[in-house]
């Protein structure tokens, strides 16, 4: 990766005639031995136009379009003519690594002769992802280790800690993802700090060699900075900048943006968190104050253990009193700690104080936030939802709080003062971008469809000019290089009964068996729950003559590898497989989806959001549940065709996709496969594919 290139500057770039994006795209595609595609050309022009106009842009680009090049080229061109970097945000580590390890190095080398300097790039993650040299050397205590009661877990964590210590002496980046095999959170936490726990480079004894600061410095000198949705959200929401100065953001895997931002701005509170805060502060203040916080934590523990899990629409009196006790006890400890910048001449003491402040602030602020979530006269005035999540063998019950919408945050903080390009293979739900645009805070569009470029049939543009934010926005579907009607069949088993809550009916198991036998295995089974996936696996292993794997049998990565390498093998699983499987070739001929993946009716956040939308006069089911289902359905169906030569069937066993009044919206969100409800035709097609 080039790191010694001169930084972008207006003086240098003004002396060089930078070619248009179309020429740069031709150069890049030729260098990598590829072929330009109409959709890729349409996208590169649209991204360039958005950067020049300042309007936001949503681009749906199907698998195989080459969308990475299509947004990287105009991004690099902009970086050459501006003072700041372009930030590219992704949802997954896999795409980050693809960009930094493959796409950007090849692109930088190919474009260097035509640009003022060779493009530079860097990857930047949250501070928690980097080893903290000072914490590793100071040996701060990890209070949560005492929560591990299973000796096997303690021993396993101890071995991981030893491995981290050995790796710390040789790593050049301190990046957790470079530690292979990985380690659990308990082990890693002993060597990392959050942004709020960090002393800062100026005060930390290891500040000059801090891995996180070195990563930020590299990012500050780069033309393209690759990060993740979580850090992008934190950078936008917090008062202190984490990312380099930038005017343009590209959000890849943009269908995940709302969920990732929601996760970042959600809060949780448990007895463990209160206990950790009390222990951290116990040696720094009068003991009776720490004991008061510990006692409040014990009260919270007893209350949560006895309460039923689920959404809290009203604040029970006893819970309100307990949250107030926790909040007030935490505040008393915060006050007793004194000035936040105390112990300037004692780095170790400053580190312990900062850790205590961080835990206490989180406990205090979350308790107050949960209290504030109640007491509104009307549902439309409610901003957040609180629910109790039951405990497991590994953790105690905990309270969660989350915003009912992040649209306002995104509109004001992310879209307010920069140009944002959002792209994914799945954005136009029901044939329009309006649904996701509203969730992003951009407002609904006009829903008009017209050719983006004369003569390019796949350049379908659905745009809206919202009055919110600093600019308008446009949506464009650049299509896919795949011939979906000729390459794939969408089969909806209209004759089956509607799915129930009591597991898979026998008719479903028979249908799955017949489909897999016709396909000769080669099946990815996507189930709405892990219980359904395991039940289907157990029921069908004796009926099928082909190998059948189930998520959880081994690591997901190894299972997918085995599935891809052994053609007859089938793989059953749940959520992560809906979006994380890329298996081109004959190993995948059939994708089975057991039911429309609506959120569970008792899901606290989803149900609260539906109710909130309805209170404001909207259709809560369509805005929340149907949109969620459409996204997952489209992602799941997208597993089938991963290369130009792939062929096969997407089989949805849920008859509601053919009969329900919302079925048209869901089908319009899927790739345009050839549709049928005839099981005989589907089995015949699968047998022909299996024999070919």
């Amino acid at each position: 990766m080039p790191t010694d290139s001169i930084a972008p500057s207006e003086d240098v770039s003004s002396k060089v005639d930078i070619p248009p994006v179309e020429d740069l795209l031709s150069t890049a595609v030729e260098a990598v031995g590829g072929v330009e595609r109409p959709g890729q050309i349409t996208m590169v022009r649209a991204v360039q136009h958005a950067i020049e106009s300042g309007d936001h842009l949503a681009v749906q680009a199907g698998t195989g379009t080459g969308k990475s090049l299509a947004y990287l080229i105009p991004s690099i061109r902009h970086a050459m003519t501006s003072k700041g970097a372009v930030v590219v945000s992704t949802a997954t580590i896999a795409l980050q690594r693809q960009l930094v390890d493959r796409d950007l190095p090849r692109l930088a080398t190919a474009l260097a002769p035509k640009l003022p300097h060779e493009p530079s790039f860097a990857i930047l993650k949250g501070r928690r992802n980097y080893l903290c040299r000072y914490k590793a050397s100071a040996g701060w205590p990890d209070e949560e280790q005492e929560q591990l009661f299973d000796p096997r877990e303690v021993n396993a964590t101890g071995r991981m800690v030893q491995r981290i210590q050995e790796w710390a002496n040789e790593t050049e980046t301190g990046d957790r993802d470079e530690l292979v095999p990985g380690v659990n959170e308990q082990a890693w936490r002993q060597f990392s700090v959050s942004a709020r726990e960090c002393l800062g480079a100026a005060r930390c004894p290891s500040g000059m060699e801090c891995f996180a600061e070195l990563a930020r410095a590299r990012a500050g000198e780069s033309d393209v900075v690759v990060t993740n949705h979580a850090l992008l959200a934190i950078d936008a929401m917090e008062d202190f900048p984490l990312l380099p100065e930038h005017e343009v953001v590209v959000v890849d895997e943009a269908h995940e943006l709302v969920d990732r931002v929601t996760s970042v701005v959600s809060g949780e509170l448990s007895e463990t968190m209160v206990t950790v805060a009390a222990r951290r502060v116990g040696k720094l203040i009068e003991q009776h104050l720490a004991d008061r916080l510990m006692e409040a934590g014990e009260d919270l523990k007893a209350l949560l253990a006895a309460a039923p899990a689920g959404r809290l629409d009203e604040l029970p009196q006893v819970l309100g009193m307990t949250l107030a006790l926790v909040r007030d006890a935490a505040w008393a400890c915060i006050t007793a700690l004194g000035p936040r910048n105390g112990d300037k001449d004692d780095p170790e003491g400053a580190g312990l104080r900062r850790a205590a402040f961080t835990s206490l602030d989180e406990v205090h602020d979350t308790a107050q936030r949960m209290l504030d979530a109640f007491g509104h006269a009307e549902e439309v005035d409610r901003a957040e939802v609180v629910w109790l999540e039951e405990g497991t063998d590994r953790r105690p019950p905990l309270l969660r709080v989350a915003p009912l919408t992040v649209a306002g945050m995104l509109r004001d903080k992310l879209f307010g003062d920069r140009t944002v390009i959002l792209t994914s293979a799945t954005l136009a739900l029901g044939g329009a971008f309006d649904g996701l645009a509203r969730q992003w805070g951009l407002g609904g569009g006009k829903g008009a469809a017209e050719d983006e470029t004369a003569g390019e049939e796949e350049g379908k543009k659905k745009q809206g000019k919202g009055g919110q934010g600093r600019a308008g926005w446009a949506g464009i579907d650049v299509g896919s290089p795949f011939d979906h009607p000729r390459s794939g069949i969408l089969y909806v088993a209209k004759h089956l009964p509607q799915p129930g809550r009591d597991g898979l009916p026998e008719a479903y198991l028979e249908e799955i068996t017949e489909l897999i036998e016709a396909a000769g295995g080669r099946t990815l089974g996507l189930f709405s729950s892990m219980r359904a996936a395991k039940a289907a696996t157990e029921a069908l292993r004796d009926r099928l003559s082909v190998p059948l794997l189930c998520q959880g049998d081994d690591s997901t990565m190894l299972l997918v590898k085995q599935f891809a390498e052994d053609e007859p093998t089938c793989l059953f699983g749940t959520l992560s497989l809906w979006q994380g499987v890329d298996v081109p070739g004959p190993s995948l001929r059939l994708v089975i989806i057991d039911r429309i993946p609506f959120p569970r009716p008792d899901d606290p956040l989803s149900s609260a959001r539906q109710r909130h939308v309805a209170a404001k006069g909207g259709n809560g089911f369509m805005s929340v549940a149907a949109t969620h289902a459409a996204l997952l359905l489209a992602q799941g169906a997208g597993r089938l065709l991963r290369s130009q030569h792939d062929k096969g069937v997407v089989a949805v066993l849920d008859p509601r996709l053919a009969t329900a009044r919302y079925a048209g919206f869901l089908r319009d969100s899927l790739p345009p496969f050839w549709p049928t409800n005839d099981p005989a035709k589907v089995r015949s097609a699968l047998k022909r594919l299996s024999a070919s």
Side-chain angles (χ1 to χ4, degrees):
M1 180 175 67
T3 56
D4 54 353
S5 303
I6 59 173
S9 76
E10 292 180 345
D11 293 337
V12 174
S13 62
S14 64
K15 298 177 183 179
V16 178
D17 184 16
I18 301 179
V21 289
E22 295 90 345
D23 292 353
L24 295 176
L25 177 62
S26 297
T27 299
V29 171
E30 181 180 355
V32 300
V35 177
E36 286 187 45
R37 304 180 179 99
Q40 192 179 45
I41 297 171
T42 301
M43 181 173 174
V44 80
R45 289 172 176 166
V47 173
Q48 178 66 19
H49 175 73
I51 291 174
E52 291 175 348
S53 68
D55 285 347
H56 307 303
L57 176 68
V59 186
Q60 178 164 285
T63 302
T65 302
K67 63 182 171 67
S68 296
L69 282 184
Y71 66 67
L72 287 174
I73 286 172
S75 296
I76 289 172
R77 192 178 189 277
H78 173 72
M80 295 286 153
T81 59
S82 68
K83 291 183 178 180
V86 170
V87 172
V88 176
S89 177
T90 77
T92 61
I93 293 173
L95 183 53
Q96 289 176 36
R97 298 272 34 130
Q98 176 187 315
L99 290 172
V100 173
D101 295 341
R102 191 189 72 179
D103 295 349
L104 280 166
R106 295 163 71 183
L107 188 56
T109 301
L111 298 184
K114 295 183 176 290
L115 299 174
H117 62 267
E118 182 171 336
S120 57
F121 50 91
I123 188 168
L124 186 61
K125 306 174 185 179
R127 191 172 291 272
R128 272 284 191 195
N129 292 278
Y130 299 99
L131 182 137
C132 173
R133 290 186 187 273
Y134 179 56
K135 187 171 184 180
S137 63
W140 294 353
D142 181 34
E143 297 83 359
E144 293 190 32
Q145 277 298 104
E146 297 185 25
Q147 303 298 320
L148 293 173
F149 298 109
D150 188 336
R152 291 172 297 180
E153 289 192 23
V154 173
N155 291 336
T157 299
R159 289 191 293 271
M160 291 178 185
V161 166
Q162 184 176 359
R163 192 151 55 81
I164 297 172
Q165 291 171 331
E166 295 170 354
W167 171 76
N169 295 323
E170 58 189 40
T171 178
E172 295 181 0
T173 66
D175 187 337
R176 179 181 180 177
D177 291 329
E178 295 182 7
L179 180 59
V180 179
V183 297
N184 64 29
E185 190 62 26
Q186 285 80 14
W188 182 253
R189 193 178 291 117
Q190 298 182 55
F191 296 87
S192 67
V193 296
S194 67
R196 295 186 180 279
E197 291 172 320
C198 178
L199 291 174
R203 298 178 62 201
C204 179
S206 302
M208 295 297 292
E209 52 183 4
C210 172
F211 288 123
E213 292 296 328
L214 291 172
R216 286 189 65 191
R218 286 192 295 271
E221 297 172 354
S222 300
D223 298 306
V224 178
V225 178
V226 179
T227 188
N228 56 66
H229 294 352
L231 187 61
L232 179 70
I234 295 170
D235 177 74
M237 307 299 171
E238 296 286 357
D239 295 330
F240 49 88
L242 299 174
L243 296 169
E245 181 180 344
H246 59 281
E247 299 173 344
V248 176
V249 175
V250 178
V251 181
D252 204 341
E253 301 173 308
H255 62 280
E256 297 245 31
L257 181 63
V258 169
D259 286 345
R260 299 301 173 106
V261 172
T262 298
S263 179
V264 166
V265 298
S266 296
E268 62 181 51
L269 187 64
S270 68
E271 173 266 334
T272 299
M273 293 173 58
V274 179
T275 299
V276 168
R279 287 177 176 164
R280 283 185 172 182
V281 77
K283 297 179 180 179
L284 304 174
I285 62 173
E286 294 182 16
Q287 189 61 44
H288 73 90
L289 293 174
D291 289 344
R292 177 182 164 193
L293 180 59
M294 188 74 77
E295 291 168 2
E298 291 292 334
D299 291 344
L300 182 67
K301 177 182 179 180
L303 178 61
L304 298 187
R311 192 182 72 209
L312 298 172
D313 294 331
E314 302 293 337
L315 179 63
Q317 183 178 11
V318 64
L319 177 59
M321 294 173 58
T322 304
L323 288 174
L325 283 174
V326 170
R327 176 200 61 193
D328 295 344
W331 182 250
C333 293
I334 291 171
T335 303
L337 270 176
R340 290 181 180 261
N341 292 326
D343 294 327
K344 291 183 178 180
D345 298 326
D346 178 13
E348 182 174 353
L352 295 174
R353 284 169 53 82
R354 180 63 65 92
F357 271 122
T358 299
S359 290
L360 291 168
D361 286 341
E362 185 175 10
V363 167
H364 172 273
D365 295 350
T366 304
Q368 182 62 59
R369 181 177 169 186
M370 289 174 174
L371 290 167
D372 292 341
F374 299 95
H376 302 287
E378 303 290 340
E379 173 61 32
V380 293
D381 298 324
R382 191 190 297 264
E384 300 204 288
V385 59
V386 178
W387 70 95
L388 174 60
E389 192 170 290
E390 64 183 357
T392 67
D393 293 338
R394 292 177 172 270
R395 64 160 180 78
L398 54 84
L399 284 169
R400 292 192 183 276
V401 58
L404 288 168
T405 175
V406 295
M409 299 178 198
L410 289 173
R411 181 182 63 242
D412 298 339
K413 301 294 188 178
L414 179 61
F415 295 98
D417 57 359
R418 56 179 64 84
T419 300
V420 183
I421 316 295
L422 305 112
T423 185
S424 169
T426 312
L427 292 181
L429 303 179
F433 292 88
D434 297 9
L436 284 180
R438 280 190 289 268
Q439 293 187 13
W440 296 330
L442 294 178
K446 299 175 182 176
E450 59 191 72
D451 283 348
E452 166 68 4
T453 306
E456 293 182 4
E457 294 183 0
E458 68 202 55
K460 301 298 182 184
K461 182 181 182 183
K462 308 168 183 69
Q463 75 173 12
K465 293 294 180 181
Q468 306 176 78
R470 68 159 192 165
W473 68 275
I476 176 173
D477 182 353
V478 301
S480 166
F482 302 153
D483 188 346
H484 286 93
R486 290 180 176 272
S487 301
I489 296 173
L490 174 63
Y491 165 54
V492 181
K494 188 177 178 181
H495 63 284
L496 290 179
Q498 286 197 18
R501 297 186 179 182
D502 300 326
L504 291 172
E506 177 61 27
Y508 277 50
L509 296 173
E510 291 177 359
E511 185 80 19
I512 295 172
T513 301
E514 292 174 356
L515 288 169
I516 292 177
E517 287 177 342
R522 307 174 184 185
T523 300
L524 177 65
L526 302 177
F527 292 83
S528 54
S529 69
M530 184 56 72
R531 185 179 69 173
K534 289 182 176 179
T537 302
E538 292 174 4
L540 296 178
R541 271 185 171 146
D542 292 336
R543 304 189 191 189
L544 295 171
S545 59
V546 295
L548 179 53
L549 307 175
C550 185
Q551 192 174 5
D553 291 347
D554 205 332
S555 75
T556 300
M557 182 179 67
L558 291 176
L559 290 173
V560 172
K561 183 174 184 292
Q562 186 176 346
F563 171 60
E565 292 177 350
D566 185 24
E567 283 189 22
T569 296
C570 302
L571 174 60
F572 287 2
T574 186
L575 190 59
S576 62
L577 297 187
W578 286 72
Q579 304 183 76
V581 175
D582 187 3
V583 180
S587 292
L588 179 52
R589 295 299 195 199
L590 173 63
V591 174
I592 294 177
I593 296 174
D594 70 327
R595 62 191 299 161
I596 298 172
F598 291 119
R600 289 168 53 98
D602 59 354
D603 178 82
L605 181 55
S606 174
S607 60
R609 283 178 165 173
Q610 289 187 60
R611 183 182 62 180
H612 190 66
V613 171
K616 291 178 138 185
N619 187 323
F621 172 78
M622 292 301 296
S623 296
V624 180
T627 295
H628 172 92
L631 270 175
L632 272 181
L633 268 179
Q635 287 287 313
R639 300 308 97 201
L640 181 66
L641 304 183
R642 308 304 295 178
S643 74
Q644 292 276 12
H645 305 293
D646 289 348
K647 295 180 183 296
V649 172
V650 174
V652 181
L653 307 185
D654 191 334
R656 293 176 294 177
L657 192 59
T659 60
R661 52 188 172 80
Y662 50 78
F665 171 79
L666 297 178
R667 290 196 303 270
D668 286 345
S669 305
L670 297 174
F673 297 119
W674 184 78
T676 184
N677 303 128
D678 188 336
K681 287 182 179 179
V682 170
R683 290 195 295 268
S684 177
L686 287 170
K687 287 177 181 177
R688 289 196 301 272
L689 273 178
S690 179
S692 64

